[in-house]
Amino acid sequence: MGKALDGVRILDFTHVQSGPTCTQLLAWFGADVIKVEKAGTGDITREQLRDIPDADSLYFTMLNHNKRSVTIDTKNPEGKKVLETLIKSCDVLVENFAPGALDRMGFSWERIQELNPRMIVASVKGFGPGPYEDCKVYENVAQCAGGAASTTGFDDGPPVVSGAQIGDSGTGLHLALGIVTALYQRTMTGRGQKVLAAMQDGVLNLCRVKLRDQQRLERTGVMKEYPQYPNGTFGEAVPRAGNASGGGQPGWILKCKGWEADPNAYIYFITQAPVWAKICNVIGKEEWATDPEYATASARLPRLQEIFAEIERWTMTKTKFEAMDILNKYDIPCGPILSMKEIAEDQSLRKTGTIVEVDHPVRGKYLTVGNPIKLSDSPTDVTRSPLLGEHTDEVLAEIGYSPEQIDVLRSEGAI
Ligand code: COA
């Protein structure tokens, strides 16, 4: 069966996490992704957080599946020529260097356009144009600058960053959408274009509801679904909302049986209005279904703490999975707090290819997250990440270099 992006060639100049997540997705959709790395060291993540001496780290292997690796010294004049040939034969160049690095290498947008007017040049940067545009940025900087940290955590504690890599992987996802959109437009215009995904913008996009709340706060001075209501105070900016749900259906994380020993024996419980009577029945508070102090969603808002404490008395008598089974029978929205260990062992995630076991010639078998986006006509086969420079000869031969020319380039240190 063919793949959605068959025939698309990506010149992958990405490193660390944000760019590689983007090109990995494109590879899973069928693009031929040629990763250009510095000879000798390669992507810095190959050796970061290593768990096996001399084997590419999980950091690298889990972000670079289905790609080919070529090593080129892009500061060497002959290396630059190889790169020029590659630019002419590819559809998209993806990069996430520090601002200006590609220009300093001699590959400005204008130069790339001269070489290949159909080329799409896609970049992740920390910030868009403005006061911080020249800054280098990593994940947590983006979470802080994009509004995630100031709105995450508890009101009486400092800002908190999340385990989800919304700055890096989130921006990679945004960039991938920009690239396929630009490829689609190119089918009509015949021209390439620049695609920019700034990490601050990507995080802010994912924090859209908090900008919504900022404006609600400014208009009304209070947000009744926040835990600060009715006893706490609201300041000028959206406060941290603990585990409150982001929407109109109040929710909270509640202890389950075994919480004293198991840090993940918790459940997320949503008091969705349409199933309120069922919730009352399950927890043995039938009278709340008709009591005007509790029967309506608006009457419940000032009492959420008391209500969740009562529900928790019930959830603490069940394991999170027992509680799930019971609540799901009544269509009460809830979710277990799953540990990474539980997720890694989850057989249903293995079956769908969301968790995949991959074999690697140096490190052996390891688990990875497969393609989270499933296309019915473009199935994903996850193959291992390339060794450093594994495909240099193969790719150079494809773009017209003879074995003798490749030997010369190698002896000159260009590849
Ligand atoms: N041959 C020769 N030189 C190469 C090369 C190659 N194949 N590949 C890269 N280089 C050079 C670059 O030209 C650059 O040189 P310069 O500084 O002289 O112009 C240099 O290697 C390093 O690039 P840089 O991006 O500055 O790396 P860094 O390790 O100092 O910074 C980041 C890392 C992530 C902070 C930075 O790249 C960045 O801010 N990127 C944009 C935001 C981003 O994606 N952040 C998320 C990371 S997960």
Side-chain angles (χ1 to χ4, degrees), residues 33-54:
V33 176
I34 301 165
K35 182 166 172 115
V36 179
E37 296 180 81
K38 258 189 217 170
T41 51
D43 186 327
I44 194 168
T45 60
R46 283 187 186 268
E47 57 183 37
Q48 274 178 348
L49 310 176
R50 266 190 177 147
D51 57 324
I52 300 176
D54 300 328

Short mmCIF file of all heavy atoms in Angstrom, two decimals, residues 33-54:
data_model
loop_
_atom_site.label_atom_id
_atom_site.label_comp_id
_atom_site.label_asym_id
_atom_site.label_seq_id
_atom_site.Cartn_x
_atom_site.Cartn_y
_atom_site.Cartn_z
N VAL A 33 12.85 11.22 4.38
CA VAL A 33 13.47 12.25 5.22
C VAL A 33 14.97 12.00 5.31
O VAL A 33 15.41 10.96 5.82
CB VAL A 33 12.82 12.28 6.62
CG1 VAL A 33 13.54 13.29 7.52
CG2 VAL A 33 11.33 12.62 6.51
N ILE A 34 15.74 12.96 4.80
CA ILE A 34 17.20 12.85 4.80
C ILE A 34 17.74 13.80 5.87
O ILE A 34 17.68 15.01 5.72
CB ILE A 34 17.77 13.22 3.41
CG1 ILE A 34 17.18 12.30 2.34
CG2 ILE A 34 19.29 13.18 3.42
CD1 ILE A 34 17.39 12.79 0.91
N LYS A 35 18.22 13.21 6.94
CA LYS A 35 18.68 14.04 8.06
C LYS A 35 20.15 14.39 7.86
O LYS A 35 21.00 13.50 7.74
CB LYS A 35 18.48 13.28 9.37
CG LYS A 35 18.88 14.08 10.61
CD LYS A 35 18.36 13.42 11.87
CE LYS A 35 18.93 14.12 13.11
NZ LYS A 35 17.91 14.79 13.91
N VAL A 36 20.44 15.68 7.82
CA VAL A 36 21.82 16.14 7.64
C VAL A 36 22.42 16.41 9.02
O VAL A 36 21.86 17.17 9.82
CB VAL A 36 21.87 17.44 6.80
CG1 VAL A 36 23.31 17.92 6.66
CG2 VAL A 36 21.24 17.22 5.44
N GLU A 37 23.55 15.76 9.30
CA GLU A 37 24.17 15.94 10.62
C GLU A 37 25.64 16.29 10.48
O GLU A 37 26.26 16.04 9.45
CB GLU A 37 24.03 14.66 11.44
CG GLU A 37 22.59 14.30 11.76
CD GLU A 37 22.48 13.02 12.57
OE1 GLU A 37 22.67 13.06 13.78
OE2 GLU A 37 22.20 11.97 11.95
N LYS A 38 26.15 16.87 11.58
CA LYS A 38 27.59 17.18 11.61
C LYS A 38 28.36 15.88 11.72
O LYS A 38 28.01 15.03 12.55
CB LYS A 38 27.89 17.98 12.89
CG LYS A 38 28.04 19.46 12.69
CD LYS A 38 28.56 20.08 13.97
CE LYS A 38 27.91 21.42 14.18
NZ LYS A 38 28.14 22.02 15.47
N ALA A 39 29.41 15.72 10.90
CA ALA A 39 30.22 14.51 10.99
C ALA A 39 30.84 14.43 12.39
O ALA A 39 31.14 15.45 13.00
CB ALA A 39 31.31 14.55 9.93
N GLY A 40 31.01 13.22 12.87
CA GLY A 40 31.67 13.05 14.17
C GLY A 40 30.69 13.03 15.32
O GLY A 40 30.62 12.05 16.06
N THR A 41 29.90 14.08 15.46
CA THR A 41 29.00 14.15 16.62
C THR A 41 27.55 13.92 16.24
O THR A 41 26.82 13.22 16.94
CB THR A 41 29.10 15.53 17.29
OG1 THR A 41 28.93 16.53 16.27
CG2 THR A 41 30.42 15.73 18.00
N GLY A 42 27.12 14.55 15.17
CA GLY A 42 25.71 14.43 14.79
C GLY A 42 24.80 15.22 15.72
O GLY A 42 25.26 16.06 16.50
N ASP A 43 23.53 14.94 15.64
CA ASP A 43 22.53 15.55 16.52
C ASP A 43 22.99 15.36 17.96
O ASP A 43 23.29 14.22 18.38
CB ASP A 43 21.19 14.84 16.27
CG ASP A 43 20.01 15.48 17.00
OD1 ASP A 43 20.21 16.01 18.11
OD2 ASP A 43 18.89 15.42 16.46
N ILE A 44 23.02 16.45 18.70
CA ILE A 44 23.56 16.39 20.07
C ILE A 44 22.82 15.38 20.94
O ILE A 44 23.38 14.81 21.89
CB ILE A 44 23.55 17.81 20.70
CG1 ILE A 44 24.40 17.85 21.95
CG2 ILE A 44 22.15 18.29 21.00
CD1 ILE A 44 24.66 19.26 22.46
N THR A 45 21.55 15.11 20.61
CA THR A 45 20.79 14.18 21.47
C THR A 45 21.25 12.73 21.32
O THR A 45 20.87 11.89 22.13
CB THR A 45 19.27 14.24 21.16
OG1 THR A 45 19.06 13.87 19.79
CG2 THR A 45 18.70 15.60 21.42
N ARG A 46 22.06 12.45 20.28
CA ARG A 46 22.55 11.06 20.18
C ARG A 46 23.26 10.65 21.47
O ARG A 46 23.22 9.49 21.87
CB ARG A 46 23.51 10.91 18.98
CG ARG A 46 22.80 10.84 17.62
CD ARG A 46 23.81 10.52 16.53
NE ARG A 46 23.22 10.57 15.20
CZ ARG A 46 22.69 9.52 14.55
NH1 ARG A 46 22.70 8.32 15.10
NH2 ARG A 46 22.17 9.67 13.34
N GLU A 47 23.93 11.62 22.09
CA GLU A 47 24.69 11.25 23.29
C GLU A 47 24.11 11.83 24.58
O GLU A 47 24.72 11.71 25.64
CB GLU A 47 26.15 11.65 23.13
CG GLU A 47 26.34 13.12 22.85
CD GLU A 47 27.81 13.48 22.63
OE1 GLU A 47 28.53 12.66 22.02
OE2 GLU A 47 28.20 14.56 23.08
N GLN A 48 22.93 12.43 24.50
CA GLN A 48 22.36 13.00 25.73
C GLN A 48 21.50 11.97 26.46
O GLN A 48 20.74 11.25 25.83
CB GLN A 48 21.51 14.23 25.40
CG GLN A 48 22.34 15.49 25.33
CD GLN A 48 21.51 16.72 24.96
OE1 GLN A 48 20.37 16.62 24.55
NE2 GLN A 48 22.12 17.88 25.12
N LEU A 49 21.62 11.95 27.79
CA LEU A 49 20.81 11.06 28.65
C LEU A 49 20.97 9.60 28.23
O LEU A 49 20.01 8.84 28.20
CB LEU A 49 19.32 11.45 28.59
CG LEU A 49 18.97 12.93 28.79
CD1 LEU A 49 17.48 13.16 28.62
CD2 LEU A 49 19.41 13.43 30.17
N ARG A 50 22.21 9.24 27.93
CA ARG A 50 22.45 7.86 27.47
C ARG A 50 22.19 6.85 28.59
O ARG A 50 22.59 7.07 29.72
CB ARG A 50 23.91 7.71 27.05
CG ARG A 50 24.09 7.92 25.57
CD ARG A 50 25.47 7.53 25.12
NE ARG A 50 25.57 7.69 23.68
CZ ARG A 50 26.68 8.04 23.04
NH1 ARG A 50 27.79 8.26 23.70
NH2 ARG A 50 26.67 8.16 21.73
N ASP A 51 21.54 5.73 28.24
CA ASP A 51 21.34 4.66 29.22
C ASP A 51 22.20 3.45 28.90
O ASP A 51 22.34 2.56 29.72
CB ASP A 51 19.85 4.25 29.26
CG ASP A 51 19.34 3.82 27.89
OD1 ASP A 51 19.77 4.41 26.88
OD2 ASP A 51 18.51 2.90 27.82
N ILE A 52 22.78 3.42 27.68
CA ILE A 52 23.68 2.33 27.29
C ILE A 52 24.93 2.99 26.69
O ILE A 52 24.80 3.79 25.76
CB ILE A 52 23.03 1.41 26.21
CG1 ILE A 52 21.74 0.78 26.76
CG2 ILE A 52 24.01 0.35 25.73
CD1 ILE A 52 20.98 -0.06 25.74
N PRO A 53 26.12 2.67 27.23
CA PRO A 53 27.32 3.33 26.72
C PRO A 53 27.47 3.13 25.20
O PRO A 53 27.24 2.03 24.70
CB PRO A 53 28.47 2.64 27.48
CG PRO A 53 27.83 1.91 28.60
CD PRO A 53 26.39 1.69 28.26
N ASP A 54 27.81 4.21 24.51
CA ASP A 54 28.10 4.17 23.06
C ASP A 54 26.91 3.83 22.16
O ASP A 54 27.08 3.69 20.95
CB ASP A 54 29.25 3.19 22.74
CG ASP A 54 30.52 3.60 23.46
OD1 ASP A 54 30.71 4.82 23.65
OD2 ASP A 54 31.28 2.71 23.88
#
